[in-house]
């Protein structure tokens, strides 16, 4: 454990908190949608440059990467913050609430940091400021990755973690491990929650096309009913979850979210289309579910005299916390938050594109409390009432700072 820095850093932490909160509020008031984070990127780049950190801009469109070399050689740790906001109307009385309106798919929409990425950005700016003053004690290199478009790039565009990885963000210098955090509106300030292994789900999208034979609604025997086949398929898919997947290992979800078929009450249509999502937390389970869906869909359709195809596309992979890295870094979290405030948590079936970094290098992604302690009404992410208590941010700064130093000095 590295205690050399403890006392210097206590002073630094005290000094940085008000700055981090101020940055967060400025960013909160000026939110920008995915792949359009121009002003946010400018602010980050300006800050990193002022600290003497080597800066790359325009990474994966609007991403900013800072490289801070310690005075001694060693490993490379990457720290990631996502920087984009959402088309959500902010409904509260905060003095720094967003009133921004912008164009989204040809429509005017309100914009809000309704996932808390403003806090991630400000926290990482704070970590950069502290670490930049301690290069004499850093053994190795810290890479600050400010990532655009975590919520997904606009249709027809690439973006986010996947594009950053494609553009080589984990290379030159090659990253050994990566840390990231997500603020949480329903976890009290001061608390850190984590899970080893599959933490957030892989999200996949599927499209099923069912082909039957059109007939009069009064004469089903002269046709093949694609709506009935769709019902059998939906039922069959749920048996994969309930009967074939070892649910005590990890959770898994198949959801059919939309069915399109038919024109009127007395016609059995020619075809049906279903689209939906698959959520998994374990690579083997993901492979099994995909394989069984591909077998079952055409087989069930055939059993009822029709045909069906299924196409499955990856949207985001599993946010998988490397168990050894988690074990290695827990003492750092315990040190900053206190053991009682570092808690394990259940898996989340939502998805996070941090997974694309973790696919390349071991990573640890954890959740940081952002709910005012004692609050009884807290609001979920992506909703108009979402709110983060920024007294929780300093713990995020401390966690990422200490984890980086401890990892590099091990
Ligand atoms: Zn989000
Ligand atoms: Zn988010």
């Amino acid at each position: 454990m590295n205690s050399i820095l403890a006392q210097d850093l206590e002073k630094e932490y005290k000094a940085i908190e008000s700055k981090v909160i101020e940055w967060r509020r400025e960013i909160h008031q000026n939110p920008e949608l995915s792949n359009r984070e121009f002003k946010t990127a400018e602010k980050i780049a300006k800050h990193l440059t002022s600290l003497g950190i080597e800066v790359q801009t325009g990474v994966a469109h609007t991403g900013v990467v800072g490289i801070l070399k310690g005075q001694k050689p060693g490993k490379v740790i990457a720290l990631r913050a996502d920087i984009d906001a959402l088309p959500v109307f902010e409904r509260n009385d905060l003095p720094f609430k967003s009133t921004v309106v912008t164009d989204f798919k040809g429509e005017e929409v309100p914009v809000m940091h309704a996932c808390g990425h403003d806090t991630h950005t400000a926290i990482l700016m704070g970590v950069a400021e502290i670490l930049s003053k301690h290069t004499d004690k850093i053994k190795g290199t810290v890479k600050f990755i400010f990532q655009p478009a975590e919520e997904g790039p606009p249709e027809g565009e690439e973006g986010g973690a996947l594009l950053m990885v494609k553009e080589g963000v984990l290379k030159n210098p090659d990253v050994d491990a990566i840390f990231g955090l997500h603020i949480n509106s329903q976890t009290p300030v001061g608390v850190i929650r984590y899970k080893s292994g599959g933490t957030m789900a892989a999200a996949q999208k599927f499209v099923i096309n069912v082909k039957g034979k059109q007939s009069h609604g009064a004469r089903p025997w002269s046709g093949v009913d694609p709506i009935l086949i769709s019902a059998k398929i939906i039922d069959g898919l749920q048996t994969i979850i309930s009967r074939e997947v070892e649910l005590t290992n990890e959770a898994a979800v198949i959801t059919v979210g939309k069915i399109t078929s038919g024109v009127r009450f007395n016609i059995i249509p020619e075809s049906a289309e279903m689209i939906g999502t698959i959520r998994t937390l374990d690579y083997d389970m993901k492979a099994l579910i995909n394989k069984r869906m591909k077998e079952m869909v055409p087989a069930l359709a055939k059993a009822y005299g029709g045909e069906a195809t299924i196409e499955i596309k990856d949207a985001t992979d599993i946010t998988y916390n490397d168990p050894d890295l988690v074990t290695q870094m827990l003492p750092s979290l315990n040190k900053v938050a206190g053991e009682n405030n570092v808690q394990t948590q259940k898996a989340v079936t939502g998805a996070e594109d941090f997974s694309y970094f973790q696919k390349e290098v071991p990573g640890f992604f954890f959740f940081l409390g952002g709910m005012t302690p004692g609050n009884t009404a807290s609001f979920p992410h992506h909703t108009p009432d979402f709110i983060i208590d920024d007294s929780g941010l300093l713990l995020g700064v401390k966690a990422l700072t200490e984890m980086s130093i401890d990892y590099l000095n091990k």
Side-chain angles (χ1 to χ4, degrees):
M1 195 66 44
N2 190 289
S3 54
I4 331 160
L5 292 177
Q7 289 210 322
D8 301 2
L9 289 187
E10 238 4 275
K11 263 187 281 159
E12 307 274 7
Y13 291 143
K14 277 205 186 92
I16 204 81
E17 183 171 21
S18 56
K19 287 190 190 178
V20 170
I21 290 174
E22 195 186 313
W23 295 327
R24 182 261 165 156
R25 292 182 177 191
E26 282 164 14
I27 297 165
H28 189 87
Q29 209 161 13
N30 297 284
E32 296 174 293
L33 292 177
S34 306
N35 273 3
R36 303 289 182 273
E37 309 91 337
F38 304 112
K39 279 186 240 150
T40 311
E42 212 179 284
K43 184 182 180 72
I44 296 163
K46 206 174 140 196
H47 177 64
L48 297 182
T49 305
S50 79
L51 300 172
I53 293 176
E54 184 189 325
V55 177
Q56 300 164 350
T57 56
V59 185
H61 300 304
T62 42
V64 180
V65 177
I67 296 171
L68 178 69
K69 291 197 175 92
Q71 289 177 18
K72 291 175 217 146
K75 290 188 177 174
V76 180
I77 187 73
L79 305 175
R80 175 273 211 166
D82 41 7
I83 65 174
D84 55 330
L86 288 159
V88 171
F89 173 76
E90 180 158 9
R91 188 163 56 196
N92 59 46
D93 297 321
L94 293 174
F96 54 92
K97 87 170 196 177
S98 163
T99 53
V100 171
V101 173
T102 194
D103 178 79
F104 181 63
K105 293 181 178 174
E107 244 180 87
E108 288 278 286
V109 294
V111 188
M112 173 190 179
H113 267 291
C115 202
H117 300 180
D118 50 338
T119 67
H120 306 167
T121 308
I123 286 170
L124 197 54
M125 285 168 70
V127 176
E129 180 155 335
I130 292 181
L131 288 177
S132 70
K133 293 178 182 163
H134 289 279
T135 52
D136 55 326
K137 289 155 191 154
I138 295 175
K139 224 174 107 189
T141 302
V142 184
K143 218 176 212 184
F144 301 95
I145 300 178
F146 291 89
Q147 181 212 305
E150 193 285 323
E151 302 288 359
E155 254 170 72
E157 292 180 29
E158 283 188 274
L162 184 61
L163 186 59
M164 287 197 118
V165 171
K166 262 198 208 171
E167 290 187 4
V169 78
L170 298 176
K171 305 267 165 220
N172 190 32
D174 294 2
V175 169
D176 291 293
I178 184 161
F179 302 139
L181 59 75
H182 208 301
I183 196 89
N184 190 279
S185 65
Q186 295 174 308
T187 300
V189 163
V191 171
I192 287 173
R193 292 195 177 134
Y194 74 97
K195 181 178 177 290
S196 193
T199 296
M200 294 183 77
Q204 293 178 294
K205 183 186 169 188
F206 64 84
V207 179
I208 294 173
N209 275 296
V210 181
K211 208 170 156 269
K213 187 176 168 227
Q214 191 156 329
S215 69
H216 197 295
R219 298 178 46 82
W221 49 85
S222 59
V224 173
D225 184 353
I227 293 180
L228 178 87
I229 294 174
S230 300
K232 300 290 180 189
I233 288 175
I234 295 168
D235 195 30
L237 296 181
Q238 295 310 332
T239 66
I240 299 176
I241 301 297
S242 66
R243 305 285 84 175
E244 298 191 38
V245 160
E246 199 168 342
L247 289 171
T248 47
N249 284 347
E250 287 292 359
V253 173
I254 300 176
T255 292
V256 175
K258 186 183 176 196
I259 311 180
T260 323
S261 183
V263 281
R264 56 171 290 151
F265 75 101
N266 60 356
I267 298 175
I268 290 172
E270 177 91 17
S271 62
E273 188 197 67
M274 293 185 276
I275 57 174
T277 188
I278 309 164
R279 301 296 166 115
T280 47
L281 290 144
D282 175 271
Y283 292 109
D284 291 341
M285 222 184 250
K286 180 182 171 194
L288 172 77
I289 290 172
N290 283 203
K291 176 174 167 281
R292 289 294 295 133
M293 288 177 79
K294 285 176 188 164
E295 287 168 358
M296 193 179 265
V297 167
L300 279 174
K302 198 175 165 212
Y304 293 96
E307 287 168 34
T309 56
I310 175 165
E311 198 192 334
I312 302 176
K313 271 192 193 148
D314 278 344
T316 309
D317 218 317
I318 301 167
T319 303
Y320 185 85
N321 283 338
D322 183 273
D324 292 338
L325 186 64
V326 170
T327 308
Q328 183 189 336
M329 299 326 302
L330 271 182
S332 313
L333 291 182
N334 288 336
K335 179 173 58 174
V336 293
E339 241 168 88
N340 289 341
N341 294 320
V342 180
Q343 303 166 357
T344 54
Q345 70 159 61
K346 289 185 282 191
V348 176
T349 47
E352 206 348 297
D353 79 352
F354 189 76
S355 53
Y356 288 115
F357 300 119
Q358 289 171 311
K359 227 174 162 180
E360 307 297 318
V361 296
F364 185 10
F365 188 78
F366 57 93
F367 299 92
L368 177 70
M371 180 181 82
T372 306
N375 228 8
T376 43
S378 63
F379 298 96
H381 294 233
H382 292 211
T383 66
D385 299 303
F386 172 78
I387 211 162
I388 289 297
D389 183 334
D390 44 25
S391 67
L393 305 193
L394 184 61
L395 181 58
V397 174
K398 288 183 183 178
L400 291 178
T401 304
E402 304 279 339
M403 285 167 84
S404 305
I405 291 169
D406 293 346
Y407 179 86
L408 293 174
N409 286 284
K410 196 196 145 212

